[in-house]
Amino acid sequence: MAEPKREEEKIFSFDTGEPSAHAVSFLGEDPQPGASPEESPLAAEIAKIRAEKEDLQLTLVRRQADFENYRKRIERDRHEEGRRGVERLIADLIPVVDGFDRALQAHDDPAYEEYRKGMMLIRKQLWDTLARHGVERIDAAGKIFDPHVHQAIERVESKDHPDGFILHVFQDGYMFHGRVLRPAIVRVGVHPVEDTNSGTMEN
């Protein structure tokens, strides 16, 4: 048996008593216009998804910044490790420069002039190579003693120079990119200490 056809329910206005032109519904359905009950949960879900998206974007930015800092740190450590390797090699080559200097100072006989020229050329090539890599000689002769770059193995009393004046350099010192590879070995002039007791007794 066929189900009886549902009749439309007309909604009348309380003010005029006339049927409402925009409010026709079927029995059992919400006759009121506007948002459906499902729209409120849907809006909340959209807001939640947007909040999660913003949080993921912030997390991505932080991860990118952390990775960039990590990359820079690794690059800096690699550069420092390479520099330390070069520094160790240069420290081993400095005595070779000393050997050239001693050989050139010992052979000042004119008969060895050609030999000296060859030695000086080789020494210059070696030094130019070291200098290109950041090696510098510590300028000590005629300077005031600096414990950071000089090492005094002899002190001589003298009033002819300022106190702490370097009188002689026994061995050159060298620096590598601002770090001391080897301090200069020097003789330092110091002013004699005044004997105040003898002066008091004379008075």
Side-chain angles (χ1 to χ4, degrees):
M1 184 175 180
E3 185 179 350
K5 184 178 181 181
R6 295 174 60 185
E7 296 182 358
E8 293 184 356
E9 179 184 8
K10 295 183 179 181
I11 300 176
F12 293 84
S13 171
F14 287 100
D15 295 332
T16 63
E18 298 295 331
S20 175
H22 59 277
V24 178
S25 66
F26 292 95
L27 292 174
E29 296 185 359
D30 186 5
Q32 297 297 329
S36 66
E38 297 180 355
E39 289 187 2
S40 180
L42 179 60
E45 186 67 20
I46 292 175
K48 179 182 177 182
I49 292 174
R50 286 177 177 172
E52 291 177 351
K53 176 184 177 183
E54 292 176 359
D55 185 63
L56 287 174
Q57 287 177 335
L58 291 176
T59 301
L60 177 60
V61 170
R62 287 194 295 267
R63 292 293 181 269
Q64 288 176 335
D66 291 342
F67 177 77
E68 185 65 19
N69 292 334
Y70 171 77
R71 187 188 64 79
K72 290 180 179 179
R73 184 170 64 255
I74 292 299
E75 187 67 24
R76 182 171 60 251
D77 292 345
R78 185 184 296 112
H79 180 72
E80 286 298 323
E81 181 60 30
R83 176 174 290 185
R84 283 193 292 269
V86 175
E87 181 177 344
R88 289 190 292 269
L89 174 61
I90 290 175
D92 292 338
L93 290 176
I94 292 299
V96 179
V97 178
D98 295 336
F100 275 108
D101 291 339
R102 287 191 294 269
L104 291 171
Q105 293 172 2
H107 296 282
D108 55 356
D109 192 323
Y112 290 94
E113 187 61 27
E114 293 300 322
Y115 169 79
R116 281 176 53 81
K117 288 181 179 179
M119 291 281 290
M120 290 176 64
L121 179 60
I122 297 173
R123 191 228 181 256
K124 183 179 183 304
Q125 291 175 340
L126 174 59
W127 174 250
D128 289 345
T129 301
L130 296 177
R132 281 198 302 271
H133 287 279
V135 180
E136 300 176 72
R137 178 182 283 104
I138 296 174
D139 190 11
K143 303 295 183 179
I144 299 298
F145 179 77
D146 181 354
H148 296 97
V149 294
H150 305 140
Q151 180 180 347
I153 62 172
E154 187 178 353
R155 300 178 186 274
V156 178
E157 291 188 352
S158 173
K159 291 185 178 181
D160 298 333
H161 303 283
D163 191 45
F165 187 82
I166 295 177
L167 302 173
H168 180 71
V169 179
F170 294 103
Q171 187 179 62
D172 287 329
Y174 296 92
M175 301 184 70
F176 178 68
H177 290 287
R179 296 175 56 182
V180 177
L181 279 175
R182 186 182 72 186
I185 309 301
V186 298
R187 176 193 294 137
V188 181
V190 295
H191 288 174
V193 179
E194 297 289 341
D195 189 352
T196 57
N197 293 331
S198 60
T200 303
M201 294 179 62
E202 290 178 359
N203 294 336

